Amino acid sequence: MRLNRSLTFGLFLLGVMFTLHLLQTSVSADDVKKTGKVVARVNGVPIYEDALQSHLAALANKGRASGFARDPAKMNDYQKKKALYSLIDAELLRQASNQQQVTDLDAKVSKRLQEVKGKFPDEEAFLKNLQARGKTLDILVAELRAGIRYDEYLTSKKVIGVPVPDEEIQKFYCDNPKSFSVPEQIKVRHILIEPDGSTAEAVAKAEKKAGEIRSRVVRDKDFAAVAKEVSACSTASSGGDLGYVSRGTMPAEFDKVAFSLKLNEVSEPVRTKFGFHIMEVLDKKPVTVRPYSEVREFISRYLQGFDDEKRLNAHTLELRKKATIEVLLD
């Protein structure tokens, strides 16, 4: 499924904000010394250079933030200031969400903790993972608690989670038919004959063998039996069946011939980097468009990601206007 805009990018920004929120929560904790260099203050709350360096390193390691160099040492002043303002925004959201009253907060934290633990085979593996990430259980619980406040704060302010109107979802579907197209597919099976070496003689011998095998397939009309007997591909046990494939799944030389075959037509040997292929197409599926009912939920989440991003940016700007922010970065 292709989309003109990147869903990943829209949701990634939200993920970054949430990650930054947790990061800033942890750097404000007692386990971090408060004597480092201060690079900013947000309503009097300091942001330390160590937190900025950790954030820059995280961005560099992920290599997904647009415009950021992979090496933190090579990041320019604009990139560093951009990263710092991400931390400032995260601190603004942390301060605002700290005022959020959450019903049954302890129960919700416990539930979310169990969800996290459920991703590991046992308690020991969970605790080892925490240790490897430099965290303690208390720090994780504090982060989960802050995350729940954060989510409920933004939900109460109608920043995130606002449903996308049905007419917008349907309009997007109608305006972007190519985004939901399923490419042409063929159900194909093949027999692979590998040359015994890379010399011209070995290649010629394999080509001759492939031609003889094709003649046998055409004569005996039992493709699967021959494939099981002589094919060098791992699909031999299933009669050479590759299932349904789209263009690009197999080498270009393979595709060119396979997609031009008629149903039940056996190809001449076709050479690819793997060897010589003898193919037979069993079924063809033309290009289709996924039905609206099948993709509606996907489109809804896709559009909501962009809407949430815009509202989050606007809300953060409003928080900036009301805040006292000092930027002390050199």
Side-chain angles (χ1 to χ4, degrees), residues 90-254:
E91 175 60 28
L92 286 169
L93 289 167
R94 185 190 71 81
Q95 292 179 16
S97 62
N98 270 352
Q99 307 305 313
Q100 181 69 26
Q101 296 299 314
V102 180
T103 305
D104 298 327
L105 179 58
D106 289 340
K108 290 175 180 177
V109 170
S110 178
K111 180 181 177 182
R112 192 165 290 188
L113 178 61
Q114 293 307 312
E115 291 172 353
V116 174
K117 287 184 175 181
K119 297 177 181 179
F120 298 88
D122 51 43
E123 183 82 7
E124 183 180 358
F126 163 69
L127 293 175
K128 281 184 177 179
N129 179 267
L130 272 184
Q131 186 178 18
R133 291 159 52 204
K135 293 182 182 293
T136 65
L137 183 59
D138 287 343
I139 290 176
L140 176 62
V141 169
E143 290 178 350
L144 294 177
R145 184 179 297 273
I148 291 169
R149 287 188 185 279
Y150 175 89
D151 290 344
E152 297 214 5
Y153 167 74
L154 292 181
T155 300
S156 70
K157 296 294 184 181
K158 299 190 183 306
V159 174
I160 63 172
V162 179
V164 180
D166 285 341
E167 54 269 24
E168 287 188 27
I169 300 173
Q170 194 149 22
K171 183 177 186 303
F172 186 89
Y173 176 77
C174 294
D175 290 347
N176 299 275
K178 290 184 179 179
S179 297
F180 307 104
S181 65
V182 179
E184 175 189 9
Q185 292 181 309
I186 56 172
K187 182 175 175 61
V188 62
R189 56 187 178 183
H190 80 139
I191 296 170
L192 174 63
I193 305 301
E194 291 179 331
D196 186 17
S198 58
T199 64
E201 182 181 357
V203 171
K205 185 177 179 180
E207 185 174 17
K208 180 181 178 182
K209 181 180 177 181
E212 292 170 350
I213 290 172
R214 180 194 180 272
S215 298
R216 178 182 166 190
V217 169
V218 172
R219 182 185 70 245
D220 297 346
K221 299 187 184 304
D222 197 342
F223 194 105
V226 178
K228 289 178 181 180
E229 180 184 336
V230 303
S231 180
C233 181
S234 60
T235 60
S237 60
S238 60
D241 189 3
L242 289 167
Y244 284 95
V245 299
S246 304
R247 292 182 189 273
T249 305
M250 300 296 288
E253 305 93 334
F254 186 104

Side-chain angles (χ1 to χ4, degrees), residues 4 12 29 40 88-89 93 111 123-124 173 219 255 275 292 298 312 316:
N4 296 332
F12 169 69
I88 289 171
D89 289 344
L93 289 167
K111 180 181 177 182
E123 183 82 7
E124 183 180 358
Y173 176 77
R219 182 185 70 245
D255 281 354
Y292 176 70
F298 176 86
L312 182 60
T316 306

